[in-house]
Amino acid sequence: MKILLHVNYCEGRGRLPELLAMAVRLGYDGVELRWKYAFDDLTQEEYQQRVADFKSRHPAMEIVFGGGIKFCRGEADEVRRDTDRYLDFLPWARAQCGTTIMNGTTGPMVAPDCTWRDYDRNGSAMATEKDYQDAAAGLRVIGRRAGELGMKIGLETHCCYLHDTAASSRKLMDLTDCPHVGLNYDQGNIFAHPHGESIDEVFRLIGGKMVYAHLKNAHKVKGEYLAAPLRYGAINTRYILQKLNLPMLATEYPCTGDGFYAAKDDLDYMRFTLQNLSLT
């Protein structure tokens, strides 16, 4: 099982070289980046060239790209434009970076009277059947193209999206019915949701749809989600690893602290645990 470094260990303006060097120096098997570059130090074209150059220097490194299209309630022109850009990005990623997995979303859904943290009122809680149908239709379009290229799209189980719980993710998968679209399983996000399922229930509902995973950890204190190092939180990562059967996954660090040390610490934990479980 390959272990990738998620961009959120070291994300920001001018930090791409630091992130890529960190992945190599610490011994990760690859990186997960954004498909759209969000900072003003590089154009999108420059960003893609930097990543392609990195891949050419380190051909064994896996590169996954994350990000989505607002299939749910996005403006029609924006959805059409982003779909076209995504369909252009896929063959570039496959040819220049060897990418086989794309981490995806179908657009944030936040109710007008809610904040982002009102997880039980946003996402699937406010969804209509039209939201599911729109998302499924869009996913089939990009899924077909991914399949032609030998790629898969994994929708991340993520609060404030249609696919925020295992139950809503399963419904969306059944409606999409595309072999090239699956799920990026993130128990950390499911844990944050007030109606998030247990690990066993998640695997019962969507275990067969997982194509990728994110691992992070957290505590809940008076209902607040507090991110923690992978080895210390309330989520039993060891148990998840016993149940996962995937070629690769990414560890995450959604914090503002020392991402370099956190990346080393999380990789040490992963190596120890995988070796202990005889999964290396």
Side-chain angles (χ1 to χ4, degrees):
M1 183 183 293
K2 293 183 178 180
I3 306 167
L4 278 61
L5 180 75
H6 193 278
V7 63
N8 64 10
Y9 283 89
C10 181
E11 187 169 20
R13 186 181 187 279
R15 301 194 73 187
L16 179 64
E18 182 183 358
L19 172 77
L20 299 177
M22 180 190 303
V24 173
R25 182 176 176 184
L26 293 177
Y28 276 83
D29 299 308
V31 291
E32 181 183 330
L33 306 171
R34 314 290 183 189
W35 79 273
K36 285 183 180 179
Y37 192 68
F39 304 99
D40 63 3
D41 59 309
L42 297 173
T43 65
Q44 181 69 24
E45 292 73 22
E46 290 170 335
Y47 167 63
Q48 290 181 210
Q49 188 59 55
R50 297 280 182 92
V51 178
D53 291 345
F54 171 77
K55 177 67 175 181
S56 69
R57 294 193 305 273
H58 304 280
M61 295 289 275
E62 299 284 353
I63 300 179
V64 169
F65 292 98
I69 301 170
K70 294 180 181 178
F71 293 130
C72 292
R73 308 190 185 192
E75 295 294 330
D77 287 346
E78 180 184 8
V79 173
R80 191 178 306 109
R81 182 174 62 251
D82 275 356
T83 300
D84 289 343
R85 286 183 63 190
Y86 196 88
L87 293 174
D88 287 341
F89 186 87
L90 290 179
W92 174 86
R94 188 71 177 101
Q96 298 299 316
C97 301
T99 300
T100 58
I101 297 289
M102 296 287 290
N103 171 29
T105 60
T106 60
M109 299 173 66
V110 179
D113 58 340
C114 291
T115 68
W116 181 265
R117 285 185 173 269
D118 293 322
Y119 300 142
D120 57 341
R121 298 174 63 194
N122 298 327
S124 63
M126 61 180 286
T128 65
E129 287 304 310
K130 184 178 185 303
D131 292 318
Y132 281 97
Q133 295 293 343
D134 288 348
L139 290 170
R140 284 192 290 272
V141 171
I142 61 174
R144 281 194 297 270
R145 184 63 176 129
E148 292 168 358
L149 295 164
M151 303 170 75
K152 289 190 176 183
I153 296 166
L155 292 183
E156 183 176 352
T157 55
H158 199 301
C159 294
C160 298
Y161 290 83
L162 185 60
H163 37 93
D164 50 6
T165 65
S168 64
S169 298
R170 180 69 203 211
K171 179 176 179 177
L172 181 55
M173 288 297 95
D174 289 345
L175 284 170
T176 303
D177 192 25
C178 176
H180 314 298
V181 178
L183 295 171
N184 169 15
Y185 165 48
D186 190 321
Q187 186 64 32
N189 292 338
I190 292 175
F191 175 76
H193 197 288
H195 304 303
E197 297 91 346
S198 68
I199 294 170
D200 284 330
E201 183 66 2
V202 166
F203 275 85
R204 185 186 71 80
L205 287 168
I206 61 172
K209 297 294 184 179
M210 297 174 187
V211 299
Y212 184 56
H214 282 171
L215 294 180
K216 56 178 174 276
N217 221 321
H219 298 282
K220 275 186 181 176
V221 179
K222 296 182 179 180
E224 286 294 311
Y225 177 94
L226 301 177
L230 196 54
R231 69 177 74 194
Y232 292 125
I235 299 167
N236 189 342
T237 303
R238 177 187 174 88
Y239 186 53
I240 292 173
L241 289 170
Q242 288 177 290
K243 298 175 79 65
L244 279 177
N245 181 24
L246 296 172
M248 69 180 82
L249 54 78
T251 61
E252 279 197 275
Y253 185 65
C255 303
T256 56
D258 182 350
F260 190 93
Y261 187 84
K264 177 189 180 301
D265 189 61
D266 287 347
L267 186 58
D268 287 346
Y269 169 82
M270 287 293 296
R271 286 172 170 166
F272 170 85
T273 305
L274 290 172
Q275 182 177 27
N276 185 258
L277 294 172
S278 300
L279 296 174
T280 54

